């Protein structure tokens, strides 16, 4: 591997920045120059093949953009990296002399894609980053690592970019910290980089998420930056200018790994992360439950039924006890919990049934 890359690879924290997508030569170059001025960027990222959810969205500039990146490296000295999703991408990236590649979340999810990339990378001596799969499936992430390892790649990094979640969270992709922490445990020698941009999906939460990753002893950050974020052709809401990016780095508290972050603390954070995530999901589910109660309230109103139907209520309680007792919940807790939920539900139905009804004058 090239000597300058070896040097960059061992840096901690490893800082990656650059636009979500390469759009024009000027945009790539200006972003690189302004990032260089921050003196904090180790690797320049830019997507040129963009996996988009829907057809018709901007899908990247493709091969045409590769010389722009090479020029940006020439002007700034910062090694460059692109996302690869197919074997042709790997071949082209290597032909133009790109320094590193990363496998995106929508590829990690598909073992066929990962194997195709691993085959294309056989015998190639460049570092490869593997983003987590879009869904919270740790085994898929591990499988991707194993496939790339089996291809003989020795420099592998992991990128945590959050996971699609059923619950409504403030994030674009829920961080579910317990998953990258478990990956760190299973692959202690691989770098773990946090990508707060794709976790947050907005600029406001970037510092908070980046700080959390530092506190969890991550090895670096990947943050998207753009010379004109509001007009970026992809992921405009989460990108920041190179100067704002520098501000983010300055706002972070860089704690040193070993003594301030003992294993036990990491384990505690992991457990708390899981609890926070489950609490978010429970809140979301309760809110959905109450919306259903509103609909039932309307139905009962239309059909002139009472809110409380004793038999139904008894059935709900019996079902909950039958389900909850064998899985470790106490009878007392199940009853107290369901009582609270039921009361809230009755209040919702009561509101729907009575509040919108104009009071009839007494005859
Ligand atoms: C990206 O890095 O721009 C990207 C597409 O990310 P992800 O694969 O995490 O969605
Ligand atoms: Mn992006």
């Amino acid at each position: 591997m090239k000597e300058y890359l070896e040097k960059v690879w061992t840096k901690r924290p490893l800082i990656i920045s650059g636009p979500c997508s390469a759009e024009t030569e000027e945009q790539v170059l200006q972003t690189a120059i302004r990032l260089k001025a921050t003196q904090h960027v180790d690797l320049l990222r830019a997507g040129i093949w963009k996996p988009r959810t829907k057809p018709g969205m901007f899908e990247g500039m493709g091969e045409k953009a590769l010389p722009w990146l090479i020029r940006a490296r020439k002007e700034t000295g910062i090694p460059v990296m692109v996302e690869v999703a197919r074997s042709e991408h790997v071949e082209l990236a290597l032909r133009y002399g790109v320094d590193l590649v990363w496998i995106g979340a929508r590829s990690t999810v598909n073992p066929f894609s990962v194997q195709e990339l691993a085959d294309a990378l056989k015998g190639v001596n460049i570092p490869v980053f593997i983003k987590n799969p879009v869904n919270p499936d740790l085994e898929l992430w591990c499988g991707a690592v194993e496939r790339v390892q089996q291809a003989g790649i020795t420099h592998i990094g992991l990128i945590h970019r959050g996971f699609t979640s059923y619950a409504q969270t403030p994030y674009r992709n829920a961080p579910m910290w317990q998953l990258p922490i478990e990956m760190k445990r299973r692959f202690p020698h691989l770098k773990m980089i946090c990508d707060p941009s794709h976790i947050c999906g907005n600029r406001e939460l970037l510092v908070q998420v980046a700080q959390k990753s530092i506190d969890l002893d991550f090895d670096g950050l990947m943050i998207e930056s753009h010379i004109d974020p509001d007009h970026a052709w992809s992921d405009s809401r989460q990108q920041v200018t190179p100067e704002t990016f520098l501000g983010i780095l300055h706002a972070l508290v860089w704690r040193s790994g070993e003594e301030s972050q003992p294993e036990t603390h990491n384990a505690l954070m992991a457990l708390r992360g899981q609890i926070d995530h489950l609490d978010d999901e429970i809140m979301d589910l309760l809110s959905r439950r109450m919306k259903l109660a509103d609909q039932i309230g309307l139905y009962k109103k239309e059909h002139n039924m009472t809110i409380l139907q004793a038999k139904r209520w008894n059935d709900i309680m019996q079902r909950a006890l039958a389900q909850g007792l064998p899985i470790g919940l106490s009878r007392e807790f199940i009853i107290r919990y369901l009582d609270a939920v039921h009361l809230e539900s009755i209040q919702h139905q009561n509101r729907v049934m009575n509040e919108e009804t104009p009071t009839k004058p007494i005859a």
Side-chain angles (χ1 to χ4, degrees), residues 19-21 45 50 131 172 197-198 224 234-235 238-239:
C20 177
S21 303
R45 63 148 285 155
K50 302 299 297 178
K131 286 196 163 196
R172 176 178 172 192
S197 304
H198 291 89
E224 287 185 338
S234 59
D235 288 353
Q238 70 198 30
Q239 299 203 64

Side-chain angles (χ1 to χ4, degrees), residues 358-363:
T359 1
K360 282 191 196 140
I362 301 166

Side-chain angles (χ1 to χ4, degrees), residues 154-340:
T154 50
H155 293 61
I156 299 177
L158 303 172
I159 300 179
H160 168 227
R161 49 78 79 196
F163 301 87
T164 304
S165 163
Y166 175 63
Q168 285 189 346
T169 73
Y171 307 102
R172 176 178 172 192
N173 292 294
M176 303 189 195
W177 296 100
Q178 69 276 15
L179 293 174
I181 287 170
E182 174 60 13
M183 280 304 272
K184 268 159 67 70
R185 197 188 63 76
R186 291 196 196 181
F187 299 98
H189 302 300
L190 303 189
K191 278 182 191 311
M192 178 62 82
I193 306 293
C194 181
D195 169 354
S197 304
H198 291 89
I199 291 177
C200 300
N202 62 51
R203 296 163 197 150
E204 294 69 35
L205 295 170
L206 290 173
V207 170
Q208 182 192 315
V209 169
Q211 184 65 57
K212 179 128 183 183
S213 75
I214 295 167
D215 295 342
L216 289 171
D217 205 21
F218 278 41
D219 300 296
L221 293 169
M222 170 150 123
I223 295 180
E224 287 185 338
S225 57
H226 192 286
I227 44 169
D228 185 6
D230 285 336
H231 297 103
W233 298 358
S234 59
D235 288 353
S236 65
R237 286 179 47 222
Q238 70 198 30
Q239 299 203 64
V240 294
T241 62
E243 295 70 31
T244 305
F245 159 77
L246 181 62
I248 290 171
L249 293 188
H250 283 154
L252 298 170
V253 183
W254 297 91
R255 302 188 173 98
S256 69
E258 303 295 286
E259 19 3 328
S260 61
Q261 292 297 323
E263 278 302 306
T264 46
H265 187 52
N266 268 356
L268 179 65
M269 297 279 269
L271 292 171
R272 285 184 175 157
Q274 288 186 54
I275 283 189
D276 287 351
H277 179 68
L278 288 178
D279 280 345
D280 288 350
E281 292 211 337
I282 291 169
M283 279 298 161
D284 187 57
L285 289 172
L286 284 172
S287 148
R288 286 166 184 231
R289 195 190 189 287
M290 293 312 154
K291 290 199 175 94
L292 288 174
D294 289 343
Q295 286 182 33
I296 288 182
L298 269 181
Y299 182 91
K300 287 180 180 166
K301 182 180 179 182
E302 277 159 21
H303 295 81
N304 222 11
M305 292 163 75
T306 56
I307 291 180
L308 185 67
Q309 312 261 312
K311 180 172 176 321
R312 167 73 180 146
W313 173 230
N314 188 44
D315 289 348
I316 289 179
M317 189 62 90
Q318 293 314 318
R319 253 187 98 236
L321 288 168
Q323 202 206 342
L325 290 173
I327 54 175
L329 300 176
S330 70
R331 172 176 296 271
E332 193 203 3
F333 171 73
I334 295 171
I335 293 172
R336 268 199 292 151
Y337 158 76
L338 264 189
D339 272 343

